[in-house]
Amino acid sequence: EPEVTQTPSHQVTQMGQEVILRCVPISNHLYFYWYRQILGQKVEFLVSFYNNEISEKSEIFDDQFSVERPDGSNFTLKIRSTKLEDSAMYFCASRGTGEQYFGPGTRLTVT
Amino acid sequence: DAKTTQPTSMDCAEGRAANLPCNHSTISGNEYVYWYRQIHSQGPQYIIHGLKNNETNEMASLIITEDRKSSTLILPHATLRDTAVYYCIVIQGGSEKLVFGKGTKLTVNP
């Protein structure tokens, strides 16, 4: 069964550094998403992406964040200058014509 | 999107049916009811969704009341691996984002 994959599974970075989280969506899906979950809190929507454009973003998704689909398979989330409060699980999701399917997540730890 | 209300936690014996309720009294006609679950810190997993008819798949059944103001997710024979947080989410068809609440923490006991 096709699945969304994410790398790395765990990323440790220092405050102020740039990080790129990578996702490989399900191959025939056209809609892509990033969500995050701070430890012990709800899963929060960050951004949706379709046809090489952001279609919707949340208040969390400020100028420090960007997304890109650099080729036909990868979908990335970049955080330009990480803060302590960016520490969270980051989930990528993709959708064809129906429901969203989530990846296993990347645990980002900012020290 | 309509707000949902779910119990904070529930327990179920292994092998028995788990019935998870959800209230969505402000749901509108073009909004769907989706169920996802999250096992520990894994990515949310899609379970089932419906508009107004009852639905069944290999994982679960979804019963939606006639007035669509509430629904019940049924896991017919719960196993220990079904221990998870279950989220009931109401969204418009084609909507871009899922809005997760706190969900129901289901614990399946041996």
Side-chain angles (χ1 to χ4, degrees):
Chain A
E1 186 176 318
E3 57 184 20
V4 176
T5 59
Q6 292 185 242
T7 54
S9 56
H10 190 189
Q11 173 95 45
V12 181
T13 189
Q14 288 190 327
M15 196 167 51
Q17 295 296 305
E18 175 184 286
V19 294
I20 297 176
L21 309 183
R22 291 183 166 79
C23 168
V24 179
I26 293 173
S27 63
N28 61 345
H29 285 184
L30 299 177
Y31 300 84
F32 313 111
Y33 309 83
W34 284 101
Y35 292 79
R36 79 170 187 190
Q37 186 175 33
I38 295 170
L39 185 64
Q41 298 188 23
K42 301 176 190 178
V43 177
E44 301 173 288
F45 168 79
L46 291 178
V47 66
S48 58
F49 190 86
Y50 170 71
N51 200 26
N52 282 319
E53 287 184 347
I54 289 174
S55 43
E56 188 173 356
K57 61 182 181 179
S58 72
E59 291 179 354
I60 303 168
F61 194 88
D62 61 21
D63 292 342
Q64 294 292 332
F65 292 88
S66 62
V67 289
E68 192 178 32
R69 187 153 162 82
D71 53 44
S73 59
N74 289 285
F75 179 51
T76 62
L77 174 69
K78 182 193 290 186
I79 309 174
R80 274 182 252 287
S81 178
T82 50
K83 307 180 191 121
L84 294 176
E85 53 265 36
D86 293 327
S87 294
M89 284 290 290
Y90 287 80
F91 296 109
C92 171
S94 70
R95 176 172 77 88
T97 56
E99 55 276 4
Q100 294 182 30
Y101 290 90
F102 285 75
T106 292
R107 178 172 299 283
L108 177 65
T109 302
V110 182
T111 61
Chain B
D1 296 328
K3 181 178 167 58
T4 62
T5 304
Q6 298 179 253
T8 303
S9 63
M10 294 183 66
D11 284 276
C12 176
E14 189 178 17
R16 306 299 284 261
N19 297 285
L20 291 92
C22 178
N23 284 319
H24 32 79
S25 59
T26 60
I27 193 169
S28 60
N30 63 347
E31 289 184 314
Y32 289 75
V33 181
Y34 277 73
W35 284 83
Y36 279 78
R37 72 181 182 183
Q38 188 175 27
I39 297 172
H40 195 46
S41 295
Q42 298 177 23
Q45 178 188 22
Y46 167 78
I47 302 173
I48 199 167
H49 75 280
L51 183 62
K52 49 185 173 181
N53 296 323
N54 297 338
E55 303 288 343
T56 295
N57 64 19
E58 65 278 3
M59 287 183 70
S61 295
L62 174 60
I63 308 298
I64 303 174
T65 57
E66 196 169 335
D67 63 8
R68 301 187 69 237
K69 292 185 177 181
S70 65
S71 60
T72 301
L73 177 75
I74 301 172
L75 307 179
H77 305 288
T79 70
L80 298 179
R81 289 180 298 178
D82 292 321
T83 292
V85 179
Y86 287 77
Y87 301 100
C88 168
I89 301 171
V90 171
I91 60 172
Q92 288 188 350
S95 176
E96 290 301 316
K97 66 182 182 187
L98 295 172
V99 178
F100 288 83
K102 294 184 179 179
T104 295
K105 180 169 173 54
L106 175 70
T107 302
V108 181
N109 299 304

